[in-house]
Amino acid sequence: MPIVKSLKLFLDDRGYLYEMLRADDPFFKSFGQAYISAINPGVVKGFHKHMIQTDHIVCVQGQIKLVLVDEGQILQKISEYHLSPLDPKIVVVEPGIWHGWMCVGNEPALVINFSTHVHDKSNPDEERVDPHQNPWQYVWEIKDK
């Protein structure tokens, strides 16, 4: 089961602030790099998994649906998380967990990822599958609730 931490939002007349990742968080292992990924409305980025890297994912603009697939020893488990700055959370994605996200709003979404390892283009720590033709038959769709 992934770790999901709600982030404390500090809001006043000037705007807002929230801390995303702290070195004293119990799930913090190490810092490799941080990056921002922009996702246009309706676009899917994923699925991929890492063998050694842990990701720490936060959506700082717009809204995304983050999907995690844990193939496990006996059966697979698919989890969905809706992330946005209106309800800030950080989701920790451990090695071996397939993950991807889709922008579900009408504006581009921005995701910040703090990874435990530096990306090496010559030897990437990742495996990828097509987000729309995946072994789990996951369908990326927006669901009304």
Side-chain angles (χ1 to χ4, degrees), residues 36-112:
I36 293 178
S37 179
I39 308 96
N40 291 324
V43 172
V44 174
K45 289 190 175 181
F47 282 109
H48 71 281
K49 71 176 178 178
H50 303 288
M51 282 50 84
I52 60 171
Q53 176 176 302
T54 297
D55 289 337
H56 303 83
I57 297 169
V58 180
C59 180
V60 296
Q61 177 182 305
Q63 181 180 353
I64 66 164
K65 176 167 46 172
L66 172 65
V67 177
L68 307 180
V69 181
D70 183 350
E71 293 180 298
Q73 296 270 338
I74 299 171
L75 71 127
Q76 69 189 19
K77 177 171 174 33
I78 297 175
S79 304
E80 295 179 349
Y81 301 92
H82 290 271
L83 304 180
S84 82
L86 298 175
D87 183 18
K89 295 180 183 73
I90 187 167
V91 178
V92 181
V93 183
E94 296 287 345
I97 304 297
W98 292 94
H99 54 291
W101 51 73
M102 177 175 111
C103 177
V104 295
N106 294 323
E107 65 174 306
L110 293 178
V111 170
I112 294 180

